[in-house]
Amino acid sequence: MKKIAILGSTGSIGTQALDVIKQHPDQFQAHTLTAGNNAELLIKQAREFKPDTVVIANEDKYTTVSQALSDLPIKVYAGPDALCQVVESTQIDMVLTAMVGFAGLRPTIAAIKAGKAIALANKETLVVAGQIISTLCTTHKVPILPVDSEHSAIFQCLNGEACNPIKRILLTASGGPFRSSTLAQLATVTAKQALQHPNWKMGAKITIDSATMLNKGFEMIEAHWLYNVKPHDIQIVIHPESIIHSAIEFNDGAVIAQLGTPDMRLPIQYAFSFPYRLPLQGKRLNLFEIGTLHFEQPDAQRFPCLQLAYDAIERKGNMPCILNAAGEITNAAFRNERISFLQIPQIITQAMEQVDFIPQPTLDDLFQTDAITRQITESIISNH
């Protein structure tokens, strides 16, 4: 029985992970569940899955959660520090990092230092601190099992290929809801329109990042750290059907791809069960129904956030941290109708130019960079 801590159990990845656990109660147990603010759903999950521990990051909601679970033998904690402390439990075998944003970095580092296997869904961890995380994983002999559908696809394609170097990664992208929109149309799109992803059901932040293609830029940076592939050898391929989740090209020209329906439970379960494949209820791939698959090159003019990600990882240092922090602030500002869709990359660019560059940042440098970038980005937005 593998005991799993789910950081961010009330989000899209967290809820689907619990569905996987529900399908395999003899294989997996939800040992720890955490949420940021959604106390109501956290309480409901705790009553259903009977975890050992729950954490609500918003300390103002501690009493609500604690009282609601007082009739059950569940330990209840609150606050961001508790997130780091609970993952150190000797009973936990794996930590699914499904928190959104920079907030997922500290507890992920705590879990690595505690020697827990990491099922990685929080992309900001590697985007912001790829070198530090890679070093920590090597030091503590901790495996990272990718949960993003694209990185899971790459991981699956590489099984049995350890002696064969990667020539190129083909990182697929749906293109989001505005794949065919003109620049003139993009100038007037709303957050409501941007949140209508054609293929995937995801949280608000990642859905907006998908619409700007900043999310695909983040995934390129993740792939660089996960698979030790140079950024210019990671090609973004627009694939609107989201059937090929990514592919690998080897030196002999062979390309191996992983296909499947758009269902995040598959990569979640594969991370949980690796190296074994367990049955999974859900829609199966039917190539006759699909008929045709399409592929396009991304348009840098309409989606400049993609190039910003390449620029950031080429410079390395704290530049990806600046990119991420500015991305989080502009994402929220767009959702709150404070800026337009096309202003997102413009403001991120200004932040990347204004925040001091640190070539070899420490972890403390990254936390400071994050805070400063958020302040500068807010200032840019206010002056627009």
Side-chain angles (χ1 to χ4, degrees):
M1 177 74 71
K2 185 175 288 185
K3 295 182 179 180
I4 300 171
I6 302 178
L7 304 182
S9 66
T10 59
S12 174
I13 295 295
T15 53
Q16 291 178 86
L18 287 172
D19 185 60
V20 168
I21 291 173
K22 188 189 298 186
Q23 289 194 37
H24 301 286
D26 58 328
Q27 298 279 343
F28 312 121
Q29 178 186 344
H31 179 278
T32 300
L33 302 178
T34 83
N37 289 291
N38 196 340
E40 183 179 346
L41 182 53
L42 180 63
I43 292 165
K44 182 179 178 182
Q45 291 175 340
R47 298 199 71 85
E48 179 178 358
F49 290 90
K50 307 294 191 298
D52 175 87
T53 306
V54 300
V55 179
I56 182 77
N58 185 340
E59 294 177 89
D60 293 338
K61 298 189 176 183
Y62 169 76
T63 301
T64 300
V65 177
S66 180
Q67 290 180 349
L69 301 176
S70 60
D71 60 319
L72 296 173
I74 297 174
K75 295 187 280 290
V76 180
Y77 301 104
D81 288 343
L83 295 171
C84 296
Q85 293 163 2
V86 294
V87 297
E88 297 174 352
S89 169
T90 56
Q91 297 179 45
I92 293 172
D93 301 303
M94 173 176 279
V95 176
L96 170 61
T97 60
M99 295 172 64
V100 175
F102 185 80
L105 181 58
R106 279 192 192 275
T108 303
I109 289 174
I112 292 170
K113 289 182 175 179
K116 310 302 179 186
I118 304 296
L120 185 68
N122 173 268
K123 55 178 48 65
E124 291 79 9
T125 295
L126 286 178
V127 169
V128 170
Q131 185 63 67
I132 292 172
I133 294 297
S134 299
T135 301
L136 281 173
C137 286
T138 300
T139 300
H140 296 278
K141 297 184 171 112
V142 166
I144 290 184
L145 298 154
V147 167
D148 264 351
S149 63
E150 294 82 359
H151 297 112
S152 176
I154 297 165
F155 182 64
Q156 293 176 60
C157 291
L158 287 173
N159 279 346
E161 300 285 355
C163 60
N164 295 313
I166 297 170
K167 176 70 174 175
R168 185 171 54 144
I169 287 177
L170 304 173
L171 192 67
T172 57
S174 70
F178 307 133
R179 177 177 61 86
S180 303
S181 300
T182 65
L183 267 175
Q185 290 170 329
L186 290 175
T188 59
V189 298
T190 65
K192 183 178 180 180
Q193 290 172 318
L195 288 168
Q196 302 303 310
H197 196 282
N199 299 339
W200 298 95
K201 183 180 179 182
M202 306 177 291
K205 178 190 179 295
I206 192 172
T207 304
I208 298 298
D209 283 346
S210 178
T212 64
M213 290 202 72
L214 180 58
N215 181 61
K216 199 54 52 177
F218 286 159
E219 289 177 4
M220 176 273 298
I221 295 174
E222 280 188 284
H224 163 69
W225 291 114
L226 283 169
Y227 304 111
N228 194 29
V229 175
K230 293 177 181 178
H232 60 75
D233 289 329
I234 303 171
Q235 182 180 31
I236 310 300
V237 179
I238 304 295
H239 169 48
E241 291 84 6
S242 295
I243 297 300
I244 295 177
H245 296 300
S246 276
I248 297 292
E249 180 183 336
F250 293 98
N251 285 333
D252 60 359
V255 175
I256 297 178
Q258 188 261 323
L259 286 69
T261 58
D263 186 345
M264 279 305 300
R265 295 175 307 160
L266 192 154
I268 292 168
Q269 179 171 290
Y270 192 67
F272 285 179
S273 65
F274 179 79
Y276 304 106
R277 292 186 182 272
L278 302 176
L280 181 65
Q281 297 172 12
K283 186 178 180 181
R284 297 304 170 113
L285 182 63
N286 186 325
L287 293 176
F288 299 113
E289 284 183 4
I290 297 162
T292 306
L293 299 177
H294 299 87
F295 306 96
E296 306 165 9
Q297 285 189 327
D299 186 334
Q301 276 196 315
R302 289 183 297 134
F303 302 103
C305 284
L306 199 53
Q307 185 58 50
L308 292 178
Y310 277 98
D311 293 342
I313 193 58
E314 288 290 354
R315 289 196 71 185
K316 287 194 168 67
N318 67 335
M319 193 55 68
C321 181
I322 297 168
L323 171 71
N324 177 74
E328 287 193 29
I329 295 299
T330 52
N331 185 306
F334 172 65
R335 281 183 281 144
N336 292 324
E337 301 181 348
R338 296 175 59 204
I339 62 174
S340 70
F341 186 81
L342 292 182
Q343 284 179 309
I344 293 174
Q346 296 170 5
I347 293 168
I348 293 174
T349 300
Q350 288 180 262
M352 291 172 70
E353 293 170 348
Q354 293 183 28
V355 180
D356 289 341
F357 175 66
I358 304 173
Q360 294 181 309
T362 64
L363 194 56
D364 286 342
D365 288 333
L366 292 177
F367 281 107
Q368 188 173 13
T369 295
D370 178 76
I372 291 170
T373 304
R374 290 171 190 272
Q375 292 172 3
I376 288 175
T377 307
E378 280 288 359
S379 176
I380 296 169
I381 291 170
S382 297
N383 292 328
H384 256 266

